[in-house]
């Protein structure tokens, strides 16, 4: 349990105004569930709007320190964009659809808080892209990943040709995108797409354990580490190291840095305040 949450009272804050997602804040952890289980949580325009709104809430929150993202029901994380929308989609609609989806996934990727994709079943197309926009992926042994868009005569449009490729490498991404082949959790683990695989019944508990462990760290330090990794990733080494240097220095502006060092020297656990 996080010793920095002030006492043992449990704080649960549920936002119930959404129809396609649920969002719950529990002791500093935001649990975001894409929730259209009848269609395997496929992403339609309404769901994407709601996802965008809840990400704004998370961005502004001073209490949510880690985000866990999963799919409703026991069969799917997200089985992709809602294919029924594609039937009447024009070229201009397609530009708007991809631009909006990419902006929402960018918002997710650039949250200050660490994010864990808890992949509890199919993560296909937009679902795989969504998982790749989180900081890392934990999967159930029942999870299946893939970018099957070519089966529909289209390609990934929410970052799949880019984030997926950066995670698993160019040749592997090409093979999976060109064939639309689905991979199981063990293969996802082997190619570095999923960090860990758990039995389905243990997946959420294990993700929450990792979330709680991150809650015990300084939030500014985590945010700066995330920024340095993400911003530096596609830069030349010299520029990337400059970003790291700035982020490292920023942590020295915080009370948490003083507390962390003092607590170590006094041989006690730190009490980080996020300041
Ligand atoms: N968009 C819209 N509806 C979807 C969907 C999607 N991406 N994925 C699944 N569904 C719907 C199915 O149409 C079905 O609806 P129905 O009960 O009204 O017929 C329901 O979800 C359950 O799916 P079903 O196909 O019956 O389950 P399954 O276990 O036989 O197969 C999948 C599961 C994931 C393999 C299969 O649903 C599938 O291939 N989905 C599409 C995946 C995809 O191409 N995603 C990328 C889109 S760009």
């Amino acid at each position: 349990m996080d010793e920095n949450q002030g006492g043992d009272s449990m704080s649960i804050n549920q936002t119930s105004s959404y129809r396609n997602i649920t969002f719950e804040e529990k002791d500093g952890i935001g649990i975001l569930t894409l929730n259209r289980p009848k269609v395997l949580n496929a992403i339609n325009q309404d769901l994407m709007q709601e996802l965008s709104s809840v990400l704004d809430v998370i961005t502004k929150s001073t209490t949510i320190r880690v985000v866990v993202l999963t799919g409703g029901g026991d069969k799917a994380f997200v089985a992709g964009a809602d294919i029924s929308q594609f039937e009447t989609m024009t070229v201009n609609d397609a530009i708007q659809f991809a631009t909006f989806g990419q902006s929402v996934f960018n918002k997710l990727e650039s949250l200050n808080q660490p994010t864990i994709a808890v992949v509890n079943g199919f993560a296909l197309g937009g679902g795989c892209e969504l998982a790749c926009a989180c900081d890392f992926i934990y999967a159930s042994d029942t999870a299946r990943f893939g970018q099957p868009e070519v089966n529909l005569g289209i390609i990934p449009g929410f970052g799949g040709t880019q984030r997926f490729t950066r995670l698993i490498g160019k040749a592997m991404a090409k093979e999976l995108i060109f064939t639309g082949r689905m991979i199981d959790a063990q293969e996802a683990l082997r190619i570095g797409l999923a960090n860990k695989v758990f039995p389905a019944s243990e997946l959420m508990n294990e993700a929450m354990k990792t979330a709680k462990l991150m809650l015990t760290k300084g939030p500014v330090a985590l945010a700066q580490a995330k920024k340095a990794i993400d911003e530096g990733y596609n830069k030349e080494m010299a520029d990337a190291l400059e970003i790291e240097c700035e982020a490292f220095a920023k942590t020295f502006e915080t009370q948490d840095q003083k507390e962390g060092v003092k607590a170590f020297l006094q041989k006690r656990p730190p009490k980080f305040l996020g300041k």
Side-chain angles (χ1 to χ4, degrees):
M1 200 59 189
D2 173 19
E3 66 254 26
N4 305 315
Q5 293 298 301
D8 55 8
S9 68
M10 187 128 118
S11 106
I12 299 182
N13 180 3
Q14 203 149 4
T15 310
S16 56
S17 57
Y18 303 112
R19 288 187 303 129
N20 302 285
I21 63 174
T22 64
F23 184 68
E24 180 190 357
E25 183 182 344
K26 196 172 167 189
D27 291 334
I29 302 172
I31 304 167
L32 171 53
T33 306
L34 275 64
N35 201 29
R36 301 180 71 215
K38 282 189 183 149
V39 287
L40 309 186
N41 308 318
I43 301 175
N44 63 8
Q45 193 67 18
D46 286 353
L47 187 149
M48 194 62 102
Q49 287 286 359
E50 291 182 7
L51 185 57
S52 181
S53 307
V54 81
L55 290 172
D56 290 335
V57 171
I58 296 169
T59 301
K60 287 186 200 130
S61 170
T62 52
T63 54
I64 301 166
R65 289 171 41 194
V66 179
V67 178
V68 164
L69 201 153
T70 194
D74 55 9
K75 200 170 163 187
F77 174 68
V78 172
D82 192 321
I83 296 170
S84 62
Q85 302 176 118
F86 292 147
E87 220 177 348
T88 54
M89 195 174 271
T90 65
V91 171
N92 279 338
D93 294 340
I95 292 172
Q96 280 178 21
F97 182 72
T99 305
F100 180 52
Q102 287 176 1
S103 75
V104 175
F105 285 18
N106 286 346
K107 208 189 281 184
L108 169 63
E109 185 178 45
S110 49
L111 285 175
N112 281 333
Q113 297 94 330
T115 55
I116 309 175
V118 176
V119 175
N120 54 323
F122 292 110
L124 302 175
C128 189
E129 292 166 301
L130 182 69
C132 290
C134 293
D135 291 320
F136 53 88
I137 297 172
Y138 280 3
S140 68
D141 50 6
T142 55
R144 298 282 180 278
F145 295 83
Q147 296 288 163
E149 287 85 351
V150 290
N151 296 332
L152 304 170
I154 63 174
I155 71 161
F158 295 160
T161 62
Q162 304 307 314
R163 290 194 184 93
F164 193 55
T165 304
R166 283 161 171 75
L167 260 177
I168 65 175
K170 209 160 118 176
M172 187 61 81
K174 282 180 173 170
E175 184 200 324
L176 293 177
I177 290 173
F178 294 174
T179 60
R181 180 168 72 86
M182 250 192 258
I183 60 171
D184 64 16
Q186 286 306 327
E187 188 169 356
L189 182 67
R190 188 173 57 73
I191 65 176
L193 182 57
N195 277 15
K196 288 183 178 171
V197 176
F198 300 101
S201 59
E202 290 166 27
L203 175 65
M204 188 46 99
N205 262 347
E206 292 294 336
M208 292 299 276
K209 270 192 217 163
T210 298
K212 284 174 186 165
L213 180 60
M214 291 191 287
L215 280 183
T216 66
K217 316 300 173 193
V220 178
L222 296 193
Q224 289 300 330
K226 176 166 172 168
K227 186 176 145 81
I229 294 167
D230 283 339
E231 287 185 13
Y233 195 75
N234 299 315
K235 296 251 178 354
E236 293 293 329
M237 184 60 85
D239 295 336
L241 287 173
E242 221 169 273
I243 290 169
E244 182 187 77
C245 181
E246 273 171 34
F248 175 72
K250 278 242 182 290
T251 61
F252 283 78
E253 292 171 357
T254 64
Q255 290 176 30
D256 283 352
Q257 177 271 327
K258 289 167 187 54
E259 165 63 10
V261 174
K262 197 192 286 175
F264 177 82
L265 295 173
Q266 293 175 351
K267 301 189 188 305
R268 60 169 174 84
K271 282 193 165 47
F272 292 124
L273 299 172
K275 293 181 186 162

